[in-house]
Amino acid sequence: MALLYTNISIRSRENNLLDELSVLRERARELELTLSRRADLDAEQLLAEPSPQHVPRIAAPGQTSSAGERLDGVAIVCCLDGPGWLQNRYTMSVQNIVMGLPSTWKVQLFHKGSIQSRKGIERNRGLARLINAGRVVVTELDGEWKKRSRSELYLSRYFWSQLVLSEKFMFFGHGGVLCHNSNFTLGDFLHYELCASPDGGFALITKSRVLEFLEQSLPGDSQYMKKIHGPIPFLLGGIRKLPGISTAPNDVLDKFVLNQRDAYQGIPFAISGTMADLSPEDRKGYIDTCPEIKMIFPLLTIRHASVRAIP
């Protein structure tokens, strides 16, 4: 009989403990839900009311921040109305370029001033810090140019005339990176008037040569320019044919940027695209020695390189 009472007492205690444990679990779930809601509210407030150091200083339409400054060169990046996943990489992409520029160069960022375009800049607080530190200057397109296509913009005298900070510039798209383990620097290629990858992913150009080509070869016809697909490769192809222009030979181009062929057995200054035409062994070598390319194409693997580059 005593044993029976003991068993009943133990079971009663077990039931009480289970009830208490159930109550504790419920309270834990409620606390977790409360903390999650508070975190969401804090994040919303932080995004809605960014601190002053996170708000980029952006010039008025048609103007360039630091417009009175003269530099040895600028690297151009266009942050137009890209999708959100691409905009999330702006800081990473621009910072990669800034790290490879001489101190007398800056990045010049073009944007349309639209809600989508501004949101892409403002959501990148790292980019805002680069702007506020003076490493990146900002130009907002003005007037009718906000609505023009990429072909119309890149093949217009208006666009290139906005490069008021320098005669020398480097154009780069969002589908490539500078390889900071390379033995080469930007200074190794600056004595050429044109040094560019075939796809236009990276290009060193002299502004006066661009304007010369546009004056001689392109009518100011918007409908004609709309029909030109791949405006940067088209532009570079025309500049190469200008009389007396100093262009980098192929062996120099192979050191400047790895595009799709594997001619230089070393670490180039830059990589553009996914190296789709390379063998798996060669692609592995470049991924290992220039790991920055994985920042732009995180799914890029040794045997899979079908991801398209972003112009």
Side-chain angles (χ1 to χ4, degrees):
M1 183 66 69
L3 180 61
L4 178 61
Y5 283 129
T6 300
N7 289 338
I8 292 174
S9 178
I10 292 174
R11 287 176 185 174
S12 177
R13 290 178 182 177
E14 287 178 349
N15 290 333
N16 289 337
L17 288 173
L18 288 174
D19 290 341
E20 291 178 5
L21 181 60
S22 177
V23 171
L24 289 173
R25 285 175 176 172
E26 185 64 27
R27 288 179 179 176
R29 281 194 293 267
E30 291 177 356
L31 180 59
E32 182 180 2
L33 182 59
T34 300
L35 291 174
S36 177
R37 287 173 177 171
R38 286 181 180 176
D40 290 342
L41 289 173
D42 290 343
E44 289 177 4
Q45 184 177 9
L46 189 62
L47 291 174
E49 301 177 2
S51 56
Q53 64 267 31
H54 291 147
V55 179
R57 296 190 296 267
I58 298 177
Q63 299 179 8
T64 299
S65 55
S66 304
E69 192 174 11
R70 288 298 295 177
L71 304 169
D72 289 344
V74 294
I76 304 171
V77 60
C78 292
C79 298
L80 304 178
D81 293 336
W85 64 265
L86 178 61
Q87 292 180 338
N88 289 338
R89 300 178 186 179
Y90 283 170
T91 294
M92 178 175 57
S93 179
V94 174
Q95 191 168 45
N96 170 262
I97 300 299
V98 167
M99 289 176 61
L101 295 179
S103 60
T104 53
W105 280 57
K106 292 185 179 182
V107 170
Q108 185 170 358
L109 183 152
F110 288 86
H111 73 107
K112 289 186 174 182
S114 64
I115 294 176
Q116 178 73 359
S117 181
R118 281 183 173 272
K119 186 181 295 184
I121 297 175
E122 292 169 358
R123 75 199 299 177
N124 282 269
R125 297 187 175 179
L127 178 59
R129 286 190 286 270
L130 290 172
I131 293 172
N132 292 340
R135 296 296 290 147
V136 177
V137 296
V138 183
T139 301
E140 180 179 332
L141 303 177
D142 63 345
E144 62 184 59
W145 294 101
K146 296 176 183 289
K147 302 177 182 179
R148 296 294 184 91
S149 67
R150 287 179 180 267
S151 292
E152 292 176 282
L153 184 63
Y154 293 157
L155 299 177
S156 69
R157 296 164 186 79
Y158 163 80
F159 179 76
W160 302 105
S161 66
Q162 301 303 304
L163 299 173
V164 297
L165 303 176
S166 175
E167 170 71 4
K168 199 77 173 180
F169 64 90
M170 179 173 71
F171 185 92
F172 70 94
H174 293 288
V177 294
L178 299 186
C179 300
H180 297 300
N181 289 328
S182 175
N183 289 326
F184 302 106
T185 66
L186 189 62
D188 295 319
F189 310 98
L190 290 177
H191 53 286
Y192 297 104
E193 291 181 291
L194 178 64
C195 184
S197 61
D199 69 347
F202 279 92
L204 271 173
I205 320 176
T206 302
K207 183 176 73 171
S208 59
R209 286 298 197 173
V210 177
L211 296 175
E212 179 183 349
F213 168 71
L214 294 177
E215 287 289 340
Q216 293 181 3
S217 307
L218 277 183
D221 184 351
S222 176
Q223 294 303 316
Y224 173 80
M225 289 187 286
K226 279 183 180 179
K227 297 177 182 178
I228 297 175
H229 298 288
I232 297 299
F234 174 85
L235 184 67
L236 297 176
I239 295 172
R240 286 190 182 96
K241 298 176 183 178
L242 291 175
I245 189 169
S246 170
T247 60
N250 285 336
D251 62 323
V252 174
L253 285 178
D254 291 333
K255 296 177 177 66
F256 176 62
V257 58
L258 174 71
N259 188 234
Q260 297 296 349
R261 63 197 190 101
D262 183 28
Y264 172 66
Q265 299 296 323
I267 308 174
F269 176 67
I271 291 180
S272 178
T274 60
M275 304 175 284
D277 294 340
L278 270 61
S279 68
E281 293 75 17
D282 289 336
R283 191 179 306 118
K284 179 183 184 302
Y286 287 113
I287 291 174
D288 288 344
T289 55
C290 185
E292 293 92 339
I293 193 65
K294 291 278 285 184
M295 297 189 307
I296 304 300
F297 299 111
L299 299 182
L300 181 64
T301 62
I302 297 170
R303 297 187 177 277
H304 179 267
S306 61
V307 183
R308 296 286 183 182
I310 306 297

